[in-house]
Amino acid sequence: MNQELFTVNNLWIMVATILVFIMHLGFAALEAGLTRAKNTVNILFKNTIIPALGLITYAFIGFNLMYPGEAFSGGFFGLSGLGLSLPEGWDSAAYNEGYTFFTDFIFQAMFAATAATIVSGAVAERIKLGPFIFFSLLYVGICYPIVGMWKWGGGFLDAMATPFYDFAGSTIVHSVGGWGAVIGAYLLGPRIGKYKDGKMNAIPGHNIPLATFGVFLLWFGWFGFNGGSVLSADPGAVSLVFVTTALAAAAGAFGALLASYLKFKAYDITMVLNGILAGLVSITAGADLMSPTESVIIGFIGGTLVVFGVVFFDKIKIDDPVGAISVHLVCGIWGTLAVGIFGDLAGGAQILSQLIGIGAIGAFCVLFSFLVFFILKKTTGIRVDEQEEVEGLDINEHGMHAYPDFATKE
């Protein structure tokens, strides 16, 4: 490979890294917009500290857990050391034909922090900040890298006769976050007033324009999330991934629009916003394998599923203020299964492999999340007291308001 091509490939992955990084601002804006004004500082604090802590934790141990080297091929666990040790040829094609060692690390680190950010939305407005930060450290530093190694690090899911396939992380990133989210929301319990006298009471977000801004930032960043996962600047592959990503998001919007209108007889912007994200999550596992038509079908089904997911979790009284579980868990599972139904790998053997991957990763994440949250619940506690929740986390956890010049009802 000539130096010019290597430089172009490496540069594209660094640009994609920047796009994935800006998704954290998207998550912050979406989560803040869909929750109440009295908790805005708390939401923004969590979404600021997660990528900061995530980067450090992933550098210290996570990267070496996720990519432990050929000695652990086909295994369940491996650790090649602590910290970032430069391998021979780290800055040239001797390390990898598409990128340098440092580019590899920083691109993967951005993905790692995303998994914990997903959990933040589902536990919003009632979780203690300290325990949440502790959980996030363990989830980014240990849980995510271990399951990521199973496929992307050459572990047992990659070594199966028909390898499990997850191009950019419908399961390895989004469902990992979704499993942590559903366990956290379950053990925390619903927000005060959410479910009363057998009825579900909607608790509307305080800033829909901010939420909309967040979703478009996420859609923008997803071109790096999926496009960068090609791991080169290959013109055909990257352009296909851009098209399937965009079409799935657009179809997800229409799927959610149709399903929510038929269900609620209203044009619900929050459902359409989550429909866009549902389409994006759904295509992420197979964005490089699908035709434009198949990506539309996958995205549309994802957008439909997210509406029924929100309704289902409300029925079983799992309070998810932003719909993170429906978007990232439900559609992460759907998108991973879609690899075996549509595209270049479709077939019964691939469906079975996808189910094995979904089940194994799901079981590990549920066990890990439950143990951490349950131990925290029984020791430090994970939920703020009733008065703090009613008054708002901003004034009680941070001693400030997001909007000090405006009177708010809550």
Side-chain angles (χ1 to χ4, degrees):
M1 176 180 286
N2 62 48
Q3 184 63 34
E4 289 78 12
L5 182 55
F6 177 77
T7 300
V8 169
N9 285 334
N10 191 71
L11 179 61
W12 161 237
I13 298 173
M14 288 193 290
V15 171
T17 300
I18 295 168
L19 292 173
V20 179
F21 176 73
I22 206 70
M23 290 174 72
H24 290 286
L25 179 56
F27 278 119
L30 172 63
E31 188 181 337
L34 292 182
T35 51
R36 289 168 289 186
K38 65 184 181 180
N39 297 311
T40 303
V41 172
N42 182 259
I43 300 297
L44 298 178
F45 189 95
K46 287 190 298 177
N47 283 274
T48 299
I49 206 66
I50 286 172
L53 293 174
L55 279 168
I56 294 171
T57 308
Y58 196 69
F60 177 67
I61 190 172
F63 187 63
N64 289 324
L65 273 174
M66 195 160 173
Y67 299 98
E70 294 182 1
F72 301 95
S73 293
F76 292 84
F77 179 85
L79 179 63
S80 57
L82 298 175
L84 297 178
S85 301
L86 291 178
E88 185 177 350
W90 68 269
D91 59 344
S92 70
Y95 174 75
N96 187 286
E97 291 186 354
Y99 44 85
T100 71
F101 171 79
F102 280 137
T103 298
D104 188 14
F105 163 74
I106 198 65
F107 182 67
Q108 299 299 336
M110 292 306 164
F111 275 60
T114 301
T117 304
I118 292 165
V119 179
S120 173
V123 299
E125 302 202 284
R126 72 264 201 216
I127 194 167
K128 288 182 178 179
L129 185 59
F132 175 77
I133 291 174
F134 182 75
F135 169 83
S136 298
L137 279 171
L138 295 180
Y139 216 57
V140 173
I142 298 175
C143 181
Y144 167 77
I146 288 175
V147 298
M149 176 267 181
W150 293 352
K151 167 60 187 177
W152 292 342
F156 80 98
L157 291 178
D158 195 51
M160 294 192 299
T162 302
F164 173 72
Y165 194 85
D166 192 356
F167 172 63
S170 284
T171 284
I172 295 172
V173 178
H174 295 283
S175 286
V176 166
W179 288 118
V182 74
I183 295 301
Y186 168 73
L187 289 177
L188 270 173
R191 291 168 292 174
I192 296 170
K194 176 68 174 181
Y195 307 109
K196 195 172 182 180
D197 301 326
K199 295 181 180 180
M200 189 280 290
N201 301 304
I203 301 177
H206 83 282
N207 195 328
I208 298 303
L210 185 62
T212 304
F213 173 76
V215 167
F216 274 91
L217 268 180
L218 287 166
W219 192 348
F220 173 71
W222 228 287
F223 289 113
F225 198 92
N226 286 355
S229 294
V230 174
L231 299 180
S232 78
D234 180 88
V238 174
S239 58
L240 171 64
V241 168
F242 267 51
V243 169
T244 57
T245 299
L247 289 177
F254 277 99
L257 169 63
L258 180 62
S260 62
Y261 185 80
L262 292 175
K263 178 71 177 176
F264 306 114
K265 298 298 184 290
Y267 297 105
D268 188 335
I269 181 62
T270 63
M271 286 296 187
V272 172
L273 292 175
N274 272 335
I276 291 170
L277 299 180
L280 290 165
V281 171
S282 298
I283 199 60
T284 292
D288 61 329
L289 303 174
M290 305 302 170
S291 70
T293 300
E294 289 170 325
S295 66
V296 168
I297 296 169
I298 291 168
F300 186 87
I301 293 173
T304 303
L305 285 173
V306 81
V307 175
F308 293 103
V310 168
V311 173
F312 170 76
F313 287 111
D314 271 334
K315 281 186 177 179
I316 63 173
K317 293 183 171 57
I318 291 183
D319 183 16
D320 178 3
V322 303
I325 300 168
S326 301
V327 169
H328 298 281
L329 178 56
V330 173
C331 294
I333 291 171
W334 157 240
T336 307
L337 282 175
V339 169
I341 301 171
F342 302 97
D344 298 344
L345 300 180
Q350 192 64 53
I351 291 175
L352 179 60
S353 292
Q354 299 304 94
L355 286 169
I356 291 171
I358 291 166
I361 291 172
F364 183 81
C365 291
V366 166
L367 179 62
F368 189 96
S369 301
F370 187 87
L371 283 174
V372 175
F373 271 128
F374 187 76
I375 291 171
L376 288 171
K377 184 175 182 177
K378 294 300 181 181
T379 53
T380 63
I382 57 176
R383 182 163 181 156
V384 299
D385 64 37
E386 184 174 342
Q387 182 178 349
E388 288 177 321
E389 185 175 343
V390 171
E391 292 176 350
L393 276 63
D394 287 2
I395 195 63
N396 284 291
E397 293 261 17
H398 306 277
M400 63 179 71
H401 291 290
Y403 310 102
D405 297 328
F406 298 90
T408 57
K409 295 179 180 178
E410 295 183 311

